Amino acid sequence: MSYNDPVLSVDDLADQVAEVLDYFGLGAVMCMGVTAGAYVLTLFAIKYTRHVLGLILVSPLCKAPSWTEWLCNKVMANLLYYYGMCGIIKELLLIRYFSKEVRGGAIIPETELVNSCRRLLDERQSPNVFNFLEAINGRPDITEGLKRLQCRSLIFVGENSPFNSDSLHMTSKLDTRFSALVEVQGCGSIVTEEQPDAMLIPLEYFLMGYGFYRPSETNVSPRSPLSPTSISPELYTPESMGLKLKPIKTRLSHM
């Protein structure tokens, strides 16, 4: 993409997901997204309900950007336009991604995880990042659309994520019979990278409901994992997924 291409909207991004599925001949899929990606996949699930089996969302958004976020995105977009992926943009993105403990500081060096992310940001095409930021900055509030979701949702959010309040707001608007929240203590937005172990047990129980995860000691029928009849009714409740109805917090002991 170039800087002069027409500005994409979040609806365009959601429609592109549908185009990819159609291209590969895929029917219903399990969707997993982080922060802005979680927003796009939630919008996709609202618009294309038949394509989505379930949502696994990490520090998701569902509201329009706050003035603080909007202004920060505009600053980053302008810097990208004139200077490309410069140091200040990487720092602003890393603050969104990771907790302070992982980013390090004057005394504590930053972790290899952050170093790797910094190198990956260097490889990104600046015009692509610019267009994506512009699309996300123009996103509407989709809170009302959450009522139209027809799939189960599992939400992870880092306690120290800048989007923590957005994720809690989103969870409060979902049907508690078909959704569950795991709030991970001492973690930033990208739980998948910072504390992936905290996701294992909730994911196992969530996927078990679809027949994707089957403990070896359990006798199971040969029914298709994509068939609704293979989902035990008991697994529709958050309790059966190893979660409490209220948000639970998990913290891993560091060795």
Side-chain angles (χ1 to χ4, degrees), residues 162-192:
F163 308 115
N164 181 278
S165 61
D166 283 50
S167 300
L168 297 182
H169 167 78
M170 180 176 181
T171 305
S172 71
K173 302 301 179 182
L174 293 172
D175 190 331
T176 56
R177 296 173 299 167
F178 308 109
S179 63
L181 170 72
V182 180
E183 187 177 18
V184 184
Q185 292 185 347
C187 189
S189 297
I190 310 184
V191 183
T192 48

Side-chain angles (χ1 to χ4, degrees), residues 18-254:
E19 291 172 7
V20 171
L21 296 187
D22 290 340
Y23 179 83
F24 287 104
L26 299 173
V29 296
M30 185 72 68
C31 297
M32 182 175 183
V34 182
T35 59
Y39 175 97
V40 172
L41 290 178
T42 302
L43 180 59
F44 169 70
I46 293 171
K47 296 180 66 174
Y48 300 91
T49 54
R50 67 180 181 86
H51 271 311
V52 182
L53 284 173
L55 288 171
I56 301 169
L57 307 174
V58 181
S59 302
L61 318 173
C62 74
K63 296 192 290 186
S66 64
W67 281 109
T68 305
E69 184 196 343
W70 183 89
L71 182 60
C72 183
N73 287 342
K74 277 297 180 184
V75 169
M76 287 195 291
N78 286 331
L79 288 171
L80 279 165
Y81 187 86
Y82 290 107
Y83 304 106
M85 184 60 74
C86 59
I88 189 170
I89 294 177
K90 286 183 280 190
E91 291 305 318
L92 289 171
L93 290 174
L94 290 171
I95 289 171
R96 287 186 178 182
Y97 295 163
F98 302 111
S99 63
K100 187 176 180 180
E101 291 76 13
V102 173
R103 296 197 313 273
I107 301 176
I108 303 174
E110 66 182 24
T111 62
E112 179 56 33
L113 174 61
V114 175
N115 284 329
S116 297
C117 185
R118 196 185 297 276
R119 289 193 295 269
L120 288 172
L121 288 173
D122 281 329
E123 299 171 6
R124 301 283 78 80
Q125 300 276 341
S126 296
N128 292 354
V129 180
F130 171 86
N131 281 285
F132 184 76
L133 267 178
E134 289 287 271
I136 293 301
N137 220 24
R139 70 182 187 270
D141 190 319
I142 57 172
T143 300
E144 288 300 312
L146 298 176
K147 299 174 182 177
R148 300 200 300 273
L149 286 178
Q150 298 180 12
C151 61
R152 291 190 297 155
S153 304
L154 177 59
I155 296 176
F156 296 92
V157 61
E159 180 185 42
N160 300 327
S161 168
F163 308 115
N164 181 278
S165 61
D166 283 50
S167 300
L168 297 182
H169 167 78
M170 180 176 181
T171 305
S172 71
K173 302 301 179 182
L174 293 172
D175 190 331
T176 56
R177 296 173 299 167
F178 308 109
S179 63
L181 170 72
V182 180
E183 187 177 18
V184 184
Q185 292 185 347
C187 189
S189 297
I190 310 184
V191 183
T192 48
E193 299 295 330
E194 196 168 332
Q195 292 198 36
D197 290 355
M199 302 176 65
L200 291 178
I201 293 176
L203 277 173
E204 285 181 356
Y205 280 97
F206 185 73
L207 297 176
M208 197 183 299
Y210 294 92
F212 293 148
Y213 173 81
R214 291 170 175 162
S216 57
E217 69 272 13
T218 305
N219 292 322
V220 294
S221 67
R223 292 176 296 181
S224 168
L226 300 184
S227 170
T229 58
S230 70
I231 303 174
S232 302
E234 304 82 30
L235 292 174
Y236 277 116
T237 63
E239 297 99 318
S240 69
M241 293 159 57
L243 308 173
K244 298 178 181 179
L245 284 171
K246 293 182 179 180
I248 66 170
K249 296 176 182 287
T250 62
R251 180 184 291 275
L252 297 181
S253 299
H254 296 284

